Amino acid sequence: MNNITEPGSKVLAGLNVSYKRGLDHNYLIITYNGETPDDYQINMLFENDIPGFLKLNVKNSNGGYDFNYEISSLQPVGRLFENKTISYDKMLGILKGLIRCFKTAHEYLLDENNIILDPGLIYMNVETHELYLLLYPYYDGDYNRSFLNLSEYILERADHSDSRCVMMSYNLFRVIKTGVFTISDIEKLLQDVPLNEPAPETVSETIPERDPEPEIDFSPKNLQPPVVRKKKSLFGNLLSKNRAQFNIKKSNSVPLFDDDVVKSVKPDLNNKKSVFGYESSDIHFGKFEEEISSEYNDQYNDDNEEYGKTTLLTADNTSVHSSSHRLIYKEKGNDKVIDLCNLPLTVGKVKDCVDVVIKDPSVSRVHASLYTENGKIMLKDLGSTNGTSLNGLILEEEKPIELEEGDVISFGKVTATYM
C-alpha cells in the first residue's frame, strides 16, 4: 500500500494508509504490522458507536492488521476548505464539534493523545456538518501540539474579511499556544456567541486602526511555540484515575468490557443535534480587541488578494475562461464547460462543499477532484457512490490518474470530455 496524502494533511504521510470502496460503505484503512492488537480503546471503538468518532473494525491482513475506519458520506475538513475560507458559523461549528468529541472521549476513557487532529483526517458530514474524529491507538501524538497545529490551520483559513472570524481564530490560537489549556478554556471562547448576527463587511469597519506603537505581528510564524510541559489529560488527572479504577493498561491485553462496565461509561446517545445547530448569543473579547494593530489589519485586508475563490457551474450558469484545458459535458441537452485554469477543484452536487456543481442524481455530494502534479492534470475519485471512470475504467477510490487530451470521464452517469 502507498501512503496517500490529503490537502492540509501532515500526519497521513507518516501512516500506511489506503482506501476501499464496498457495496454500501467506504473505508479508510491504516495497516499495522506490530503485535496482536488487543487494546481497551480498540475494544471500545469496535463494540460501540461512539458519537463523533469513526467506527472501527480490525481485520487480519498479510501477517499484519488493517484498521478499517468507516468514512461513508464523509469528507475530510482539509479537502472541504482546500480552496475556501472557513466562515464564522462553520468555525464555530468545528470548535463546538471538537469540544463535544473530546468530552465524549473523556466519558469513554479514551486517550486524547491518540486522537489525530489533522485536517486531512478530521471528517465532516457535508449535509449535517457533524464532525467525526479518528482515534488510532498506535498514534503517538501530543494533544498540545496537535491542537496548536490545528489552530494555526484555522487561523490561516479563517475568513479574514470578517472581523469575528479574525477575533475568534486568533483568540483560539492565543489560548492554545500557552500549552497549558483545557477543553474548558476553549469552551469559554464560545460562550454567548452570536450565530445570526450579520457580519461586518471588513475588519477595519469594526476594529479601528490604532497607533502603530507597539506593533504586534500575530502571524503564527512569529509567535512562540507552546511551553513543553509534562503531559496531562485535557480534563486534569481524572482520566488516569478512572483508567486505574478499571485496571486499564494500554500496553497489555485487555478483555472486552462486559455490558455493565460499558454502560457505566457510555454517554447519552439520543442527542443527535447537528454540529451547526446550536443557539448562542454574544462573545466578549475584553481588551484584546484594543490590541489588534493596524499592521495585522493591513496583513489580512489586501485589496489585491482574494480568499476562497471558487467557480460554481450549474445548469443555469456556465463559466468559461481562457485555458488550454477544460472538460465539456451535457446538462439538460446543453453543453457545459468546466474550465481547468484554477486547479485544484472538486466536483459534486452540494454547492457549499465543492467548486464545480453538477446537478445530477448519480453525482455524489463530493464526487471527485482535479489537480496538478508535476505539471500534469490528475483526476481522483473521492469515494463517490456511483464511481468515477476514465475511458470506461472505474477508478479506485483516492487513487489519482493522469488525464490526456481526448479522455472521456464519467462522474456517475454524467460524461465529460477532456479537451
Side-chain angles (χ1 to χ4, degrees):
M1 296 181 185
N2 297 323
N3 289 330
I4 302 174
T5 59
E6 282 290 347
S9 175
K10 298 178 181 178
V11 175
L12 271 176
L15 298 174
N16 194 357
V17 175
S18 62
Y19 296 85
K20 177 182 177 181
R21 178 193 290 119
L23 292 177
D24 301 313
H25 303 279
N26 294 331
Y27 297 95
L28 179 150
I29 303 171
I30 301 177
T31 299
Y32 169 74
N33 293 314
E35 299 178 356
T36 302
D38 189 1
D39 181 273
Y40 163 76
Q41 297 185 112
I42 296 175
N43 294 329
M44 291 299 289
L45 291 168
F46 178 76
E47 294 292 332
N48 300 274
D49 289 323
I50 301 181
F53 285 86
L54 297 177
K55 180 68 176 176
L56 172 65
N57 189 13
V58 182
K59 296 181 179 179
N60 293 321
S61 175
N62 299 322
Y65 298 89
D66 284 345
F67 285 71
N68 295 265
Y69 294 90
E70 185 171 347
I71 56 173
S72 304
S73 301
L74 305 176
Q75 292 293 331
V77 166
R79 178 184 296 159
L80 294 176
F81 297 106
E82 182 180 11
N83 302 319
K84 298 178 176 65
T85 59
I86 301 177
S87 69
Y88 180 64
D89 288 349
K90 288 186 177 179
M91 184 184 298
L92 294 181
I94 290 173
L95 296 180
K96 286 174 184 279
L98 288 172
I99 291 170
R100 186 169 59 254
C101 288
F102 273 85
K103 285 186 174 181
T104 300
H106 177 59
E107 293 179 20
Y108 278 89
L109 310 182
L110 303 177
D111 188 346
E112 61 268 14
N113 291 301
N114 297 147
I115 298 173
I116 303 179
L117 293 181
D118 186 282
L121 289 170
I122 298 175
Y123 280 82
M124 179 183 289
N125 184 309
V126 295
E127 288 191 337
T128 66
H129 300 111
E130 187 173 2
L131 283 188
Y132 291 87
L133 302 184
L134 188 156
L135 187 149
Y136 181 51
Y138 301 103
Y139 173 64
D140 185 19
D142 180 338
Y143 75 83
N144 280 299
R145 176 59 60 181
S146 297
F147 263 104
L148 179 64
N149 291 338
L150 181 60
S151 68
E152 289 178 349
Y153 172 83
I154 292 174
L155 182 62
E156 292 169 358
R157 291 295 197 280
D159 181 1
H160 297 128
S161 66
D162 186 342
S163 63
R164 301 171 304 170
C165 268
V166 175
M167 299 293 288
M168 176 62 74
S169 59
Y170 177 71
N171 270 279
L172 174 69
F173 182 80
R174 187 181 64 168
V175 167
I176 290 176
K177 78 181 182 69
T178 64
V180 291
F181 69 97
T182 66
I183 285 295
S184 295
D185 295 326
I186 300 176
E187 200 167 19
K188 288 177 183 177
L189 294 177
L190 305 183
Q191 292 176 353
D192 302 323
V193 175
L195 285 179
N196 300 319
E197 177 183 332
E201 292 184 2
T202 64
V203 174
S204 59
E205 290 180 1
T206 300
I207 308 174
E209 290 189 1
R210 309 293 297 176
D211 293 333
E213 295 184 358
E215 292 188 347
I216 304 173
D217 187 353
F218 290 147
S219 59
K221 64 182 179 180
N222 292 317
L223 291 170
Q224 295 298 319
V227 178
V228 178
R229 300 176 185 272
K230 185 178 180 181
K231 289 185 182 180
K232 66 176 183 178
S233 169
L234 281 169
F235 300 90
N237 297 321
L238 180 59
L239 182 58
S240 59
K241 291 180 181 179
N242 286 341
R243 283 199 176 127
Q245 177 183 352
F246 292 111
N247 296 318
I248 298 169
K249 296 181 179 179
K250 182 177 177 181
S251 60
N252 295 338
S253 297
V254 179
L256 289 174
F257 274 16
D258 58 37
D259 291 341
D260 290 335
V261 175
V262 172
K263 289 178 181 178
S264 69
V265 297
K266 192 167 185 178
D268 181 11
L269 302 182
N270 294 325
N271 186 2
K272 301 293 185 180
K273 203 167 195 179
S274 165
V275 80
F276 293 128
Y278 288 80
E279 297 180 358
S280 46
S281 50
D282 198 353
I283 188 165
H284 304 283
F285 296 99
K287 295 183 179 180
F288 167 66
E289 291 189 16
E290 299 179 358
E291 299 174 359
I292 299 290
S293 68
S294 59
E295 177 183 343
Y296 184 61
N297 288 333
D298 293 339
Q299 178 183 355
Y300 291 122
N301 282 295
D302 187 347
D303 293 336
N304 297 321
E305 186 169 4
E306 296 183 13
Y307 296 96
K309 182 177 181 180
T310 60
T311 301
L312 296 176
L313 307 181
T314 69
D316 301 318
N317 178 32
T318 301
S319 177
V320 181
H321 307 283
S322 59
S323 173
S324 58
H325 296 292
R326 57 185 179 173
L327 296 179
I328 300 178
Y329 70 100
K330 286 191 177 292
E331 189 173 85
K332 296 183 178 180
N334 299 318
D335 285 342
K336 298 295 177 181
V337 177
I338 302 175
D339 184 30
L340 303 181
C341 68
N342 292 317
L343 296 179
L345 58 79
T346 51
V347 178
K349 65 181 179 182
V350 178
K351 179 178 179 181
D352 293 336
C353 299
V354 297
D355 305 300
V356 176
V357 175
I358 299 179
K359 293 182 178 179
D360 188 275
S362 66
V363 176
S364 293
R365 303 174 185 90
V366 181
H367 195 105
S369 68
L370 295 114
Y371 61 97
T372 57
E373 185 177 278
N374 299 323
K376 302 174 182 178
I377 295 182
M378 311 296 290
L379 171 69
K380 181 169 66 174
D381 180 80
L382 301 179
S384 62
T385 300
N386 295 307
T388 304
S389 64
L390 180 65
N391 300 324
L393 177 65
I394 298 178
L395 303 185
E396 295 182 31
E397 180 180 348
E398 301 286 349
K399 186 174 182 179
I401 190 168
E402 179 185 352
L403 293 182
E404 298 180 357
E405 191 164 341
D407 281 345
V408 177
I409 302 169
S410 294
F411 304 107
K413 295 182 179 180
V414 176
T415 301
T417 303
Y418 176 66
M419 306 290 288

